[in-house]
Amino acid sequence: MGIEARLKELGLELPSAATPMANYVPAVRSGNLVFLSGHGPLEKDRLIVGKLGSDLTVEEGYRAARLVAIGLLGSLQALIGDLGKVRRIVKLLGLVNCESTFKEQPQVINGASDLLVEVFGDKGKHARSAVGTNSLPLDIAVEIEMIVEVEG
């Protein structure tokens, strides 16, 4: 099954490439690698904001991370044209806006990881870091950046 068909089967519609908040671009290709800038959780033109452990539950954070992965795929598609060119999702760096006592960052970032495996199968399995932080831009709940290997 092609990636477009898989996205449709999952009921996913990819957004356009993210609009940068400052002096950077959403994605850069260098050889066969694509480096995607940090993306935040956007749902119907509304950012999901707040801290995990006080404002948001793990389930809400998981959902936010899933939305970030959808946004990352939109930016990737805008750059390379066809997600069928993806050879492998190489690495994610997931940042979770959370209270100092919050310890479930991996469960939150699983929202993105699980989606990438749903879409790409084994090619979606990746190396990953899930880090807690006391603040993210605009108080977003989650920020994720991604590295992807694509066909030449």
Side-chain angles (χ1 to χ4, degrees):
M1 175 184 300
I3 297 301
E4 294 298 324
R6 183 69 181 134
L7 291 170
K8 190 171 203 157
E9 180 181 80
L10 293 169
L12 299 176
E13 186 175 326
L14 300 183
S16 303
T19 302
M21 292 176 33
N23 190 15
Y24 63 92
V25 294
V28 171
R29 182 172 180 165
S30 179
N32 287 351
L33 294 177
V34 176
F35 298 82
L36 289 117
S37 297
H39 283 54
L42 189 62
E43 181 177 47
K44 298 177 184 166
D45 297 327
R46 181 183 70 82
L47 288 169
I48 296 176
V49 298
K51 284 192 179 296
L52 278 289
S54 60
D55 305 320
L56 301 168
T57 65
V58 171
E59 293 77 20
E60 290 169 321
Y62 178 98
R63 188 169 168 280
R66 185 176 176 89
L67 289 169
V68 174
I70 293 167
L72 286 162
L73 292 179
S75 292
L76 179 62
Q77 184 175 38
L79 184 72
I80 67 171
D82 175 9
L83 293 179
K85 295 178 182 178
V86 170
R87 283 189 182 162
R88 177 100 198 213
I89 305 297
V90 177
K91 175 120 175 28
L92 293 185
L93 170 59
L95 302 168
V96 179
N97 183 5
C98 61
E99 298 294 338
S100 63
T101 56
F102 187 78
K103 307 289 186 235
E104 297 173 280
Q105 293 86 355
Q107 289 81 358
V108 170
I109 301 303
N110 278 346
S113 295
D114 292 349
L115 177 109
L116 294 168
V117 173
E118 286 174 37
V119 171
F120 294 104
D122 284 343
K123 294 191 293 185
K125 293 181 181 177
H126 50 272
R128 183 184 89 177
S129 297
V131 179
T133 184
N134 68 335
S135 178
L136 286 171
L138 303 175
D139 197 34
I140 57 175
V142 177
E143 181 175 354
I144 301 173
E145 59 182 49
M146 182 167 72
I147 302 170
V148 180
E149 181 186 9
V150 296
E151 293 176 1

